[in-house]
Amino acid sequence: MRPSSPSFIQNLTRRLPPLLVMLPALGQAATSDGGGQGASGPEPFELTMGLIAGLVLFLFGVSRLALALKGLAVEPARRLLGRFTRNRFAGVLTGTAATTLLDSSSVTIIMVIALVDAGLISFVQSLGVVLGSNIGTTFGAEIVAFQIGKYAPVGLAVGALLLAFGRGARWKNAGWVVFGMGLLFFGLDLIEEAMSPFKNHPPFLRWMRELGKNPLQGAAVGALFTMLIQSSSGTMAIVVTLASQGLISLPAGVAIMLGAELGTVSDTLIATIGRSRQAIRTGVFHFLFNLITATLGVLCASRLVDLSRWISGDASVGRQIANAQVIFNVLGVLLFIGFLPLIARALKVLIPDRRTENTSSPALHQGVSPNTSTS
């Protein structure tokens, strides 16, 4: 497998321009309101260059990890989804396992949409998988909260050895998985280092406090950033990393997390274009589930913060934010799972079958888009 791919280059060139516009503005804002603290405030050029380097390496690591995991785990995950979705509870467990295996809720749900479109599983069976995928996507944030970034060079070295001496596609994919994880954490370390001057910088700290006090504003930031990098897992990894350095408070991190949950639905909605009505219902359910739970989360953000702090005990803020995501998604699943039959009937009324539509197509459409994000 080549070290880069056209799809990654296209995604990178599409994602970076908005980010590159935001970074100098962040640096200028950081120094313009320093109140005579130019010596302690971050330099715009150094901040911008550090963040660009960290984001490029992070996005490339995420891309390589996703592509390698697809090569290793797409077929096992596809069989898992098709076999163990006979009831809503099995569907939740299957969606959780598949998303943990693939490290991407978007990939899982797009695969489910394709399976529904092909008639291999029913629309009703897919609903539990969608719920479970939201739980499975929390796995990445929990790993980042362990602060294992200092071991990134080990992952890079082991991955490089596997790529150099591994034989066969599976060994190459395994090498890219390890190398991608090492590159991902190395990029996070660069972002963390670039942001370190903000630790005692009043304007930035005031902005973070405002995000914590205004969950709706924080959610908007999280949703926007997630749509820019097309990865809710990526957003959470950056948030947890910055929180571990004291740059993001628990309330602000929870607000951004709620926005990331909503921002991740864009890819799955796009994946429903041209699909059958059953597949469209699955995508719409994912959107409605994330919209409703995110709205409830914003309304109850302070209680979610208190619950996470109580459950996490003396854990770091990064760990508390990761735990808040787990709590939020588990509570969302518990809230919806009892109403799935009713929701399924309502969506069938809202999105009726076409008269000429064949819902039992034997052929499976290709389920993973080359532009799929890694949320």
Side-chain angles (χ1 to χ4, degrees):
M1 186 177 294
R2 293 178 299 176
S4 63
S5 64
S7 61
F8 170 74
I9 298 299
Q10 292 169 3
N11 283 339
L12 190 61
T13 55
R14 179 162 49 87
R15 296 175 190 178
L16 282 182
L19 295 173
L20 299 185
V21 171
M22 294 170 63
L23 298 182
L26 180 59
Q28 293 289 349
T31 56
S32 62
D33 191 23
Q37 298 189 26
S40 61
E43 292 292 334
F45 179 78
E46 294 180 2
L47 167 69
T48 302
M49 292 300 102
L51 287 177
I52 288 175
L55 280 170
V56 169
L57 290 177
F58 174 76
L59 289 174
F60 184 70
V62 169
S63 175
R64 294 312 318 178
L65 179 61
L67 289 173
L69 284 171
K70 289 175 192 176
L72 285 173
V74 161
E75 284 308 316
R78 195 192 301 275
R79 290 194 296 270
L80 181 71
L81 292 172
R83 187 176 301 175
F84 300 106
T85 55
R86 295 181 180 179
N87 61 66
R88 71 189 88 166
F89 302 102
V92 170
L93 293 176
T94 302
T96 302
T99 303
T100 301
L101 187 66
L102 295 169
D103 194 31
S104 173
S105 60
S106 292
V107 172
T108 300
I109 295 172
I110 290 173
M111 287 176 59
V112 168
I113 288 172
L115 291 171
V116 173
D117 191 46
L120 297 181
I121 65 174
S122 70
F123 154 66
V124 176
Q125 287 176 299
S126 73
L127 300 185
V129 180
V130 171
L131 295 182
S133 69
N134 279 47
I135 297 177
T137 197
T138 64
F139 182 71
E142 290 289 346
I143 291 179
V144 174
F146 280 112
Q147 300 181 25
I148 60 177
K150 58 184 177 181
Y151 301 109
V154 177
L156 292 172
V158 173
L161 289 173
L162 288 173
L163 288 170
F165 300 106
R167 296 182 178 179
R170 294 190 67 84
W171 282 106
K172 296 292 184 182
N173 279 329
W176 277 119
V177 168
V178 179
F179 189 84
M181 290 190 68
L183 202 58
L184 183 156
F185 283 109
F186 188 63
L188 286 176
D189 274 353
L190 289 181
I191 294 172
E192 180 181 322
E193 183 179 349
M195 294 290 289
S196 60
F198 283 111
K199 287 182 180 179
N200 300 308
H201 195 57
F204 181 81
L205 297 178
R206 282 199 297 270
W207 185 50
M208 284 294 107
R209 283 195 296 269
E210 286 300 317
L211 291 184
K213 293 177 182 178
N214 188 342
L216 185 60
Q217 183 181 359
V221 171
L224 176 61
F225 191 76
T226 299
M227 286 187 287
L228 284 176
I229 70 171
Q230 297 186 8
S231 173
S232 62
S233 297
T235 299
M236 288 305 300
I238 293 173
V239 168
V240 170
T241 298
L242 296 182
S244 67
Q245 293 296 107
L247 293 170
I248 294 181
S249 65
L250 177 59
V254 167
I256 295 172
M257 177 271 292
L258 295 172
E261 294 288 338
L262 186 57
T264 193
V265 304
S266 58
D267 277 356
T268 52
L269 286 177
I270 292 173
T272 62
I273 296 175
R275 302 284 188 173
S276 67
R277 289 302 178 96
Q278 290 208 84
I280 292 173
R281 290 177 197 140
T282 300
V284 170
F285 170 73
H286 180 230
F287 168 72
L288 292 176
F289 171 73
N290 283 32
L291 176 62
I292 293 171
T293 53
T295 301
L296 292 175
V298 169
L299 294 175
C300 304
S302 60
R303 295 182 181 179
L304 180 59
V305 167
D306 293 338
L307 181 59
S308 176
R309 189 177 284 125
W310 177 71
I311 290 177
S312 304
D314 296 330
S316 66
V317 176
R319 172 66 60 190
Q320 291 175 5
I321 294 173
N323 290 344
Q325 187 186 25
V326 175
I327 295 167
F328 169 76
N329 282 299
V330 169
L331 289 178
V333 169
L334 293 176
L335 176 64
F336 269 72
I337 195 168
F339 299 99
L340 287 188
L342 182 62
I343 293 171
R345 288 196 294 270
L347 284 173
K348 287 180 181 178
V349 174
L350 180 65
I351 308 173
D353 290 328
R354 299 186 184 96
R355 292 182 180 180
T356 58
E357 186 171 273
N358 180 7
T359 60
S360 58
S361 173
L364 177 63
H365 297 268
Q366 294 301 318
V368 182
S369 167
N371 292 327
T372 298
S373 73
T374 56
S375 56

